[in-house]
Amino acid sequence: DPEVYAFAREVLSRKCGSDWCVGEKNHKGEMVALFNEVRSRCRYTLDPTDYDAFQTPMKSLELGTTDCDDEVSLLGASLRTVGINVRSRIYQTVGQSTWIHINLLAQDPNDGSWTSLDLAAVGKPAGWEVPKEHILKQRDFDVLEKEVPKLSAALNAVP
């Protein structure tokens, strides 16, 4: 989405005095800056009681509310537009009969390490992870772009 592309670049091109707020090639800093920006713009809000609603990344920014899957979509799309690979991780926690939560993992292009980015863990910083003793099952899924030519055309159209 060209608007997500522009959003991510607006966040990362901010100046703090005469320097960039996030140094160039500081990919962990980029992850944290985008994490913090989404957190500051979007309030965690539960879905309706009858169904799992899903909204696009730009709808999340427009409404200013998200739940865990909306956060994964918005933050994941933002990170991918600046060259950071992401995975989604789903959880079944102790006492739950089904998968109940999803968060994002982001890979630092410099060293290949993965950082947990869980916006639904309100008040917790980037890097916080669901405590092992609360996890019954977890599973990771790579996020891959299926239609790269269409994405490239859309990104080239960004003013």
Side-chain angles (χ1 to χ4, degrees), residues 27-128:
H27 303 298
K28 283 208 194 299
E30 292 172 342
M31 292 175 204
V32 172
L34 288 167
F35 174 90
N36 289 337
E37 186 69 21
V38 171
R39 162 134 320 133
S40 74
R41 290 192 189 198
C42 297
R43 180 186 187 279
Y44 181 85
T45 307
L46 292 173
D47 278 333
T49 56
D50 299 2
Y51 60 94
D52 188 15
F54 181 78
Q55 59 200 32
T56 65
M58 289 314 298
K59 185 55 90 172
S60 292
L61 286 174
E62 177 187 321
L63 295 173
T65 61
T66 54
D67 72 344
C68 60
D69 53 14
D70 303 324
E71 293 166 345
V72 165
S73 178
L74 172 55
L75 185 56
S78 300
L79 289 165
R80 287 187 48 82
T81 69
V82 297
I84 296 175
N85 290 325
V86 297
R87 289 180 178 156
S88 58
R89 175 172 284 170
I90 60 171
Y91 298 93
Q92 180 180 355
T93 55
V94 175
Q96 299 296 322
S97 61
T98 189
W99 301 99
I100 189 136
H101 181 55
I102 185 169
N103 74 275
L104 201 64
L105 302 172
Q107 186 179 37
D108 186 332
N110 289 331
D111 63 16
S113 65
W114 290 90
T115 299
S116 175
L117 300 170
D118 192 345
L119 286 157
V122 175
K124 302 294 185 189
W128 181 86

